Amino acid sequence: MSANTPDTIPFVDLVAQYRRYQSEFDAAWRNTVENSAFIGGPALQRFEKAFAELCGAKICVGVANGTDAITLVLRAMGIGAGDEVIVPAHTFIATSEAVTNAGAKVVFVDVDPVHTLMDPTKIEAKITKNTKAIIPVHMYGQLADMQAILPIAQKHGLKVIEDSAQGHAAIEHGKRAGNFGDAATFSFYPGKNLGAYGDGGAVTTNDAALADKIRRLANHGRADKFGHQIEGVNSRLDGLQAAILEVKLRYLETWSAERRAAAKRYNEMFAGVAGVVTPKTRTEGAHVFHLYVIQVANRDALREHLTAKNIQSGIHYPIALHELEAYKYLGHQPSDFPVASHYCKNIVSLPIYPEITEGQQQRVVEAVKQFVGQAR
Ligand SMILES: *Cc1c(COP(=O)(O)O)cnc(C)c1O
């Protein structure tokens, strides 16, 4: 990240968010410290209840991060060695990494060329007798096509775990991310739409037995202080993070609306600009725009152009998973998942956050326009 100057447009502005609600954040952490409520405690319990309610799910279990959340769900479902789990070739590595962490085998499926979400038409070809689960990812804040994916899973007796690390409060036909599959996982990494002041994560589910197992696994396998029936791990959402998240949760709906409005402004400003492909929305009003990702030729040069104008940007993600060194052992060719491979080479994520102003967006769009104009 380049050094900030007063006119820098940051990629995400967490300081602006802190200033906006400073007294509430300060009271939350002070209260945690004064009560020594560092592990477990009332803020965690209140947050878990409130977050489950927001998602429309029965139960929320706080864990240490969004990657552990996926691994713990898989382990609690009894998915591990010898089992296969289907994940999109275009997502953050955490989705597939969690499958490996659980001891199961990663099986990639391509994404669709319009929304770049897990392509439901390509799932069945990947199902074998060892397949146990599908992990659709609500990429960039947009729900995967759950209406198409859930019947496929049902037909083949597979579990569905929503990776909703980028999809907090995304909603479709009145139903929230976190309430479609057998379980859903969330990350509260600081830059996510609902972000802690450190690492954090959660699982939502309507299955009480599964939730109980996850809670136990995440806390050294204990049912009570020393009654360890199984070995687990240490993966808890701590009290300080829960207290911050409890404050932030009150404003999540406002922030989603502000993100949507910012995305709409970008779309309008880019309308008719040749050489820039703007993101496509499956269902109007559903997307929570964790990221606003455009497609352009020469994206690395565009990023340099933006940096020179003190505009930060990102790439989510530069290399499709099957092309990563980490997955060489699977023996894939780039052409095995052509949509993901192609897409990854042409994307740039532009600054988006609830506090971004129209003036800042105007500057971003002017800079992009200037670049694509020169390039033609
Ligand atoms: C951030 C993210 C994760 C992992 O979350 P952590 O809290 O960083 O472990 C998993 N999946 C996706 C799609 C993510 O964006």
Side-chain angles (χ1 to χ4, degrees):
M1 212 174 272
S2 57
N4 286 18
T5 61
D7 74 332
T8 295
I9 301 179
F11 185 62
V12 183
D13 196 343
L14 297 176
V15 178
Q17 191 189 56
Y18 172 65
R19 297 270 179 251
R20 196 171 163 189
Y21 309 94
Q22 184 167 352
S23 60
E24 288 177 70
F25 288 133
D26 291 353
W29 70 255
R30 201 177 316 115
N31 192 43
T32 308
V33 176
E34 281 174 358
N35 290 295
S36 288
F38 299 114
I39 303 292
L44 177 65
Q45 285 179 7
R46 287 194 303 266
F47 172 72
E48 285 182 341
K49 187 164 179 284
F51 192 67
E53 263 165 33
L54 173 100
C55 299
K58 283 203 188 106
I59 307 158
C60 165
V61 181
V63 298
N65 57 69
T67 312
D68 280 4
I70 305 170
T71 305
L72 288 163
V73 170
L74 290 168
R75 283 188 63 186
M77 285 174 169
I79 297 172
D83 298 331
E84 295 175 8
V85 177
I86 298 174
V87 304
H90 174 61
T91 171
F92 182 49
I93 191 171
T95 315
S96 47
E97 198 178 37
V99 172
T100 308
N101 289 347
K105 184 182 176 205
V106 173
V107 176
F108 292 121
V109 64
D110 211 349
V111 291
D112 79 271
V114 179
H115 305 105
T116 62
L117 296 162
M118 177 182 267
D119 188 342
T121 67
K122 296 189 176 150
I123 293 174
E124 279 196 299
K126 298 289 170 187
I127 297 174
T128 72
K129 62 179 191 336
N130 297 323
T131 309
K132 290 289 174 344
I134 305 173
I135 310 184
V137 181
H138 303 324
M139 247 348 230
Y140 304 156
Q142 170 148 252
L143 284 159
D145 189 351
M146 301 306 289
Q147 283 79 5
I149 294 168
L150 290 168
I152 298 169
Q154 202 160 28
K155 180 175 155 196
H156 296 273
L158 308 177
K159 300 285 189 192
V160 175
I161 303 155
E162 302 165 62
D163 180 347
S164 197
Q166 302 186 8
H168 313 79
I171 185 163
E172 197 170 86
H173 310 305
K175 205 167 171 172
R176 298 271 188 194
N179 194 24
F180 286 92
D182 296 285
T185 61
F186 293 84
S187 165
F188 303 127
Y189 176 83
K192 301 281 160 108
N193 284 21
L194 180 62
Y197 284 171
D199 278 312
V203 176
T204 58
T205 182
N206 293 319
D207 182 339
L210 184 73
D212 194 51
K213 191 129 190 236
I214 292 164
R215 204 179 280 288
R216 223 172 274 187
L217 279 173
N219 193 17
H220 302 293
R222 60 161 65 101
D224 51 50
K225 191 152 183 159
F226 295 111
H228 306 269
Q229 296 160 327
I230 46 170
E231 281 182 321
V233 292
N234 177 355
S235 182
R236 301 175 292 226
L237 178 61
D238 70 66
L240 199 49
Q241 304 310 339
I244 294 296
L245 290 166
E246 191 187 11
V247 172
K248 289 201 182 190
L249 191 57
R250 297 183 202 130
Y251 304 104
L252 186 59
E253 293 284 62
T254 305
W255 297 340
S256 297
E258 288 169 342
R259 284 175 178 276
R260 249 178 233 130
K264 189 159 172 273
R265 281 199 299 266
Y266 268 141
N267 288 343
E268 287 163 3
M269 291 172 182
F270 280 123
V273 177
V276 177
V277 179
T278 53
K280 302 290 175 289
T281 303
R282 284 184 51 242
T283 306
E284 210 47 54
H287 204 316
V288 290
F289 287 98
H290 171 58
L291 296 168
Y292 186 89
V293 178
I294 59 167
Q295 297 172 65
V296 287
N298 302 316
R299 64 100 182 274
D300 293 327
L302 169 60
R303 292 196 69 209
E304 279 172 33
H305 179 79
L306 292 174
T307 303
K309 294 189 169 310
N310 293 327
I311 297 167
Q312 295 179 352
S313 61
I315 306 179
H316 302 85
Y317 298 90
I319 304 169
L321 293 184
H322 65 289
E323 293 185 48
L324 288 174
E325 180 80 32
Y327 292 109
K328 215 170 162 182
Y329 72 92
L330 289 173
H332 285 302
Q333 299 299 314
S335 58
D336 288 352
F337 308 98
V339 179
S341 283
H342 174 78
Y343 182 71
C344 288
K345 293 181 178 69
N346 294 290
I347 49 178
V348 175
S349 310
L350 299 180
I352 192 163
Y353 42 89
E355 295 80 10
I356 196 166
T357 65
E358 193 169 342
Q360 288 176 312
Q361 290 187 270
Q362 200 71 57
R363 254 184 66 203
V364 174
V365 172
E366 284 311 316
V368 175
K369 274 187 181 170
Q370 193 184 42
F371 175 81
V372 293
Q374 282 169 358
R376 279 147 52 79

